[in-house]
Amino acid sequence: MELGLHVADFTWDGGTPAIGPTLADTARQAEEAGVSRLTVMDHFWQMGGDIGARENAMLEAYTTLGFLAAHTERVLLHALVTGAVYREPGVLAKQVSTLDTLSGGRAGLGVGAAWYADEAHGLGIPFPSTAERFERLEETIRICLQMWSDDEGPYQGRHHKLDRTLNSPQNLSAPHPYLMVGGSGERKTLRMVAQYADACNIFGGPGAEHKLDVLRGHCEALGRDYDRIEKTTTFSFTPESTRDELVRQLLEVNRTGFTVAYVFGQGFSDPREAVELLASVMPEIADA
């Protein structure tokens, strides 16, 4: 089982001046510990609730991923997950290609239909109906895949029109950057996973096995090999979590059918403490 470090909070000891040095140090420590992926949220405000108040620190995703690329050597880097309506698809494809080029082929795209309406309205970002957001999500995926191919022709969709899908330099990742579709909607999202994606990202819990069965059904209907799709989930822990609890919970996630867990520390004033706890469980998780 692989572990990724998901950085979902930047409100740490030392305030704003410490964010950059602390993040760089955390990324290096995570890579040295054997974490295989580093991800950040694609949000402009913190989400509220248990993670933290909306006014808490939040960094823009693709600037942050470029920073992380400069401070790491091996880990896969992507957003978990990008809201498809936050950026024009051609620009998003170019951002991921740029990250892939500068990181030596370590970029991915995690993408979903977006959900944080208050954030979008607050910053003046168009936030259409749920149905339209899913239409735009699929068009975004198609545009990215076209731009990451040798097809420089036009793209005409219901919501997006591109006259020429030129993308130079092209990605180092082959055949294209890692593509994850996040979300667990049974009719639309999991069908898009089966049709286009290298990976899904589904919340764990009692309904997770059913969601994976639904994904298997979509794969059968589309003629896709279910086993070729990576099954990922997110998982949180706190400063009160013990090593044994974390091992037990992660192994249960693995038994559900997930092969990758993106783990984030919730409530840590120094994220390096979360990495230390994560490093302690790596020997038992790696062979799961």
Side-chain angles (χ1 to χ4, degrees):
M1 185 180 189
E2 291 188 47
L3 294 186
L5 178 65
H6 181 51
V7 185
D9 177 23
F10 300 95
T11 302
W12 301 324
D13 289 345
T16 300
I19 290 176
T22 301
L23 181 60
D25 198 31
T26 300
R28 287 189 290 263
Q29 288 187 16
E31 189 171 66
E32 290 169 4
V35 167
S36 62
R37 301 136 190 259
L38 281 174
T39 59
V40 295
M41 297 194 297
D42 188 23
H43 287 301
F44 309 105
W45 294 355
Q46 185 53 272
M47 295 192 298
D50 293 339
I51 294 182
R54 296 181 180 190
E55 295 77 14
N56 282 7
M58 179 54 60
L59 302 182
E60 191 278 324
Y62 287 92
T63 309
T64 306
L65 290 169
F67 177 86
L68 290 170
H71 290 281
T72 57
E73 297 178 354
R74 299 180 300 278
V75 290
L76 176 68
L77 301 161
H78 65 88
L80 187 65
V81 296
T82 283
V85 298
Y86 284 173
R87 296 166 183 83
E88 287 296 316
V91 173
L92 177 60
K94 185 67 176 180
Q95 286 178 293
V96 175
S97 290
T98 299
L99 180 63
D100 198 64
T101 297
L102 297 180
S103 67
R106 296 188 287 125
L109 172 63
V111 66
W115 61 270
Y116 199 168
D118 287 350
E119 169 187 69
H121 296 324
L123 297 178
I125 300 168
F127 198 79
S129 67
T130 300
E132 183 175 331
R133 295 201 311 277
F134 276 96
E135 291 171 357
R136 288 178 177 270
L137 170 60
E138 187 155 17
E139 288 192 17
T140 294
I141 294 168
R142 289 176 173 173
I143 290 166
C144 286
L145 290 174
Q146 181 167 326
M147 287 188 64
W148 297 338
S149 73
D150 58 4
D151 181 359
E152 296 180 7
Y155 175 88
Q156 179 67 60
R158 180 174 181 181
H159 302 287
H160 299 286
K161 179 180 182 294
L162 288 72
D163 290 341
R164 185 185 181 192
T165 53
L166 173 66
N167 186 36
S168 178
Q170 195 50 268
N171 303 293
L172 295 175
S173 298
H176 55 71
Y178 177 84
L179 176 59
M180 168 196 286
V181 175
S184 56
E186 296 183 12
R187 188 168 62 89
K188 295 180 179 179
T189 306
L190 295 179
R191 190 268 303 165
M192 281 187 255
V193 171
Q195 186 167 354
Y196 303 110
D198 301 304
C200 64
N201 186 258
I202 296 172
F203 288 121
E209 290 187 58
H210 169 70
K211 299 293 184 181
L212 293 175
D213 285 341
V214 171
L215 175 59
R216 186 187 297 275
H218 283 301
C219 287
E220 291 172 355
L222 292 166
R224 181 86 187 274
D225 184 352
Y226 172 81
D227 293 329
R228 297 286 299 273
I229 297 173
E230 196 170 57
K231 290 79 179 176
T232 82
T233 191
T234 55
F235 181 90
S236 66
F237 63 101
T238 70
E240 290 72 40
S241 300
T242 68
R243 178 187 176 279
D244 289 346
E245 288 173 344
L246 194 53
V247 168
R248 177 180 56 78
Q249 291 168 330
L250 286 168
L251 291 177
E252 180 60 32
V253 165
N254 182 243
R255 283 190 290 270
T256 299
F258 295 107
T259 56
V260 180
Y262 290 91
V263 183
F264 65 97
Q266 190 169 311
F268 287 85
S269 58
D270 186 331
R272 290 164 291 199
E273 296 175 359
V275 172
E276 289 177 7
L277 180 54
L278 200 57
S280 74
V281 309
M282 291 295 293
E284 292 188 59
I285 298 302
D287 295 330

